[in-house]
Amino acid sequence: MSDTRKKLVVINFFPAFNDPTSGGEQRSLHLLRALAKRFEVHSISPTYEKTRDETVILDQHLHEHRFTKNRDYEEWQWSFREASFPVSAPAYAFALASPLHVAMKARVQELAQDADAIVLQHPAAWQVAKDIPGKPLFYLAHNCEFELAVNALASTEFTAAAAMLHQLEYLTCQAADGVFGCSQDDCLKYQILYGIDPSKTHVAGNGAEDRLASRAAEMFKTTTPRTALFVSSNWQPNVQAAKFIVEKLAPLCPDVEISIVGSVCASLDSSHSASNICLRNRISNRELGALMARTHVGLNPMGGGSGSNVKMADYLAHGMEVLSTPVGARGFPPQLANIHIASLDMFAESLAAICATPPTPETRLGWRQTAQTVWDWNVIGAGVADRIAARLENIEPDEPHYDKRVLVMNEFPVAGHSNGGQARIAGCYSSPPERTLTTVVSFGRGPMQLNRLGDHIN
């Protein structure tokens, strides 16, 4: 290990598999690789059951220590599956089982002794990190996990699981010296939900694997008119989006050839697919790059979720026009010429309009290059590394912070000025004393959401 490199210990609830098979795996792998350009990085995670403990060298300065899941993991995951748990269970099993994972915890303690900082990639990792004293802590988030939990579990028998995620994310954000969110919206949620100062948050968006590199200009000559693509892992918000494409969008756009790629295909019934739908569960990176190069439109009809979508960055990296819902586009600059935003009821009309004018290879290359700072993992990761390095060198971030906070309790949601009551609340609290942040907590019938009413009121 270089004497000049500082050492980071990263705790995650799944390994940084190479090649990644989901957006989360891609985010983890590429951000770890980016950090390894500046630091000596040791990542610790549980891996598949009935495997063996192993250390994998992913790069010269990136070592991953994988520990097979113990019996507690198996029992918790089996319990969640038997109970038809409505969200992905591994993170919850990690939170419950990791305190008893003796071998993994011992390795964390050993590596942490001479570490300069600890990085958590999920709040469940707090269960392992809380016993490490006196080390700077960073939360490299994938989502606002409590938002995902409460919206999925609020009307089920699993509300205790949502409460557990809230407590773990609260403790993580409170202890962290820096919180990296996938979007400005997520950073704002951490500030509002957990009372942390804005100066502690930093946006580290989702990037893309560059499957084209110097071949982009040549590959874009193969663009096929009236083609669209949805790339996705088998995650519930993605499944809902894929079913919308199969059941609603494809029949309304019969002359558009739509490919759905990734493990989300496992949740779709191919026998009920429209004739213009092609399902491809497994595809190599090279094949996916070629498919993206010849496809005109990237689809993202998301109706929920948190963080930001890796598929959006993938589309931008491959010079595609993008059609997304407002929710799906969170974290990406809507002013980019090739990003189109539409509600689900306008999706078919918007897709038809976009497909009417296929781009030239030069146009696609220009779109790709214009968005490079958005999709390039090296640029995103360098920002994370800079922020961590600045904290370790005791350089204060040059960002505004709040000295005072006001909490307002209200009985109805305040989303703007649509009636007199909302206008009164927004007006009364929108001009607080300098460096004061006002949070209004209200009660409604829909899912948890965050409304920004002004620079100082949420």
Side-chain angles (χ1 to χ4, degrees):
M1 179 171 62
S2 169
D3 293 336
T4 60
R5 282 181 174 257
K6 293 187 181 295
K7 177 180 173 182
L8 304 181
V9 171
V10 182
I11 308 173
N12 197 5
F13 75 97
F14 57 82
F17 292 115
N18 189 16
D19 292 326
T21 61
S22 69
E25 289 180 13
Q26 186 181 145
R27 178 175 175 82
S28 182
L29 175 67
H30 289 287
L31 287 181
L32 289 177
R33 280 182 165 167
L35 290 175
K37 295 179 185 295
R38 295 273 296 277
F39 303 99
E40 191 75 20
V41 179
H42 289 266
S43 181
I44 297 104
S45 65
T47 187
Y48 295 119
E49 299 94 334
K50 298 180 175 63
T51 55
R52 60 185 177 85
D53 296 354
E54 60 180 348
T55 295
V56 179
I57 300 175
L58 295 169
D59 276 318
Q60 181 182 1
H61 298 286
L62 174 55
H63 292 195
E64 184 165 66
H65 309 269
R66 299 174 181 174
F67 289 85
T68 182
K69 293 178 179 178
N70 58 16
R71 189 179 188 87
D72 299 290
Y73 283 98
E74 295 182 16
E75 291 178 353
W76 278 113
Q77 290 191 159
W78 180 85
S79 297
F80 285 129
R81 284 194 294 267
E82 284 292 298
S84 299
F85 196 57
V87 291
S88 179
Y92 295 83
F94 179 94
L96 294 163
S98 58
L100 302 175
H101 200 317
V102 176
M104 187 175 70
K105 289 187 68 176
R107 186 63 170 145
V108 170
Q109 292 288 337
E110 177 189 351
L111 290 167
Q113 288 182 10
D114 63 345
D116 294 282
I118 309 299
V119 178
L120 309 186
Q121 289 208 64
H122 193 279
W126 173 255
Q127 296 283 65
V128 179
K130 62 185 174 64
D131 297 324
I132 304 172
K135 301 287 183 180
L137 182 75
F138 299 91
Y139 177 29
L140 188 53
H142 288 235
N143 303 283
C144 179
E145 299 295 343
F146 173 61
E147 178 186 27
L148 289 179
V150 73
N151 285 342
L153 305 175
S155 58
T156 72
E157 60 185 293
F158 303 105
T159 51
M164 178 182 72
L165 249 294
H166 177 274
Q167 287 299 294
L168 291 174
E169 197 162 48
Y170 168 80
L171 291 167
T172 299
C173 288
Q174 285 291 314
D177 293 88
V179 177
F180 298 91
C182 290
S183 66
Q184 188 59 49
D185 281 352
D186 271 13
C187 287
L188 192 60
K189 290 167 189 171
Y190 303 134
Q191 296 165 26
I192 302 307
L193 286 170
Y194 306 123
I196 63 173
D197 199 275
S199 63
K200 285 176 63 170
T201 61
H202 179 84
V203 177
N206 276 319
E209 292 193 66
D210 187 359
R211 302 175 182 88
L212 301 179
S214 60
R215 300 181 301 131
E218 186 66 28
M219 295 285 283
F220 290 156
K221 293 179 181 178
T222 64
T223 301
T224 304
R226 310 196 73 78
T227 53
L229 171 68
F230 180 66
V231 181
S232 174
S233 60
N234 195 20
W235 184 56
Q236 190 54 39
N238 291 333
V239 173
Q240 292 172 352
K243 288 183 176 179
F244 167 81
I245 293 172
V246 171
E247 297 169 5
K248 303 289 181 61
L249 183 64
L252 291 174
C253 300
D255 58 344
V256 179
E257 180 186 329
I258 303 175
S259 297
I260 298 179
V261 173
S263 58
V264 71
C265 294
S267 295
L268 302 176
D269 187 344
S270 58
S271 65
H272 289 87
S273 295
S275 59
N276 57 326
I277 289 282
C278 176
L279 303 181
R280 301 185 67 178
N281 193 336
R282 297 186 181 277
I283 186 171
S284 71
N285 250 343
R286 186 177 183 84
E287 290 174 315
L288 181 56
L291 177 61
M292 287 183 144
R294 65 176 182 265
T295 301
H296 178 186
V297 184
L299 301 174
N300 197 33
M302 301 295 287
S306 182
S308 64
N309 293 156
V310 172
K311 64 178 75 63
M312 286 285 290
D314 248 349
Y315 299 153
L316 295 174
H318 294 79
M320 304 172 73
E321 287 201 76
V322 182
L323 177 58
S324 175
T325 56
V327 171
R330 63 198 181 279
F332 291 91
Q335 66 270 24
L336 289 175
N338 55 324
I339 291 184
H340 307 269
I341 308 298
S343 60
L344 290 178
D345 60 351
M346 295 297 294
F347 232 68
E349 182 179 329
S350 299
L351 179 59
I354 295 168
C355 285
T357 311
T360 65
E362 293 74 23
T363 299
R364 290 192 65 175
L365 190 62
W367 287 337
R368 167 184 155 87
Q369 292 170 341
T370 299
Q372 188 161 2
T373 57
V374 178
W375 60 259
D376 193 324
W377 280 119
N378 290 323
V379 176
I380 297 166
V384 175
D386 287 345
R387 189 65 180 261
I388 292 176
R391 168 61 184 84
L392 297 183
E393 294 165 11
N394 294 315
I395 299 174
E396 290 294 326
D398 185 21
E399 294 188 14
H401 63 89
Y402 298 117
D403 292 332
K404 301 179 181 67
R405 301 179 67 90
V406 176
L407 177 65
V408 180
M409 302 298 292
N410 191 54
E411 74 270 25
F412 56 84
V414 183
H417 299 74
S418 58
N419 59 49
Q422 292 191 26
R424 175 175 174 78
I425 290 171
C428 285
Y429 297 100
S430 61
S431 299
E434 189 177 354
R435 291 164 64 167
T436 299
L437 182 67
T438 299
T439 301
V440 180
V441 177
S442 58
F443 302 92
R445 294 186 176 88
M448 188 193 85
Q449 61 182 13
L450 181 68
N451 300 312
R452 187 163 197 180
L453 306 178
D455 290 340
H456 300 278
I457 178 169
N458 303 279

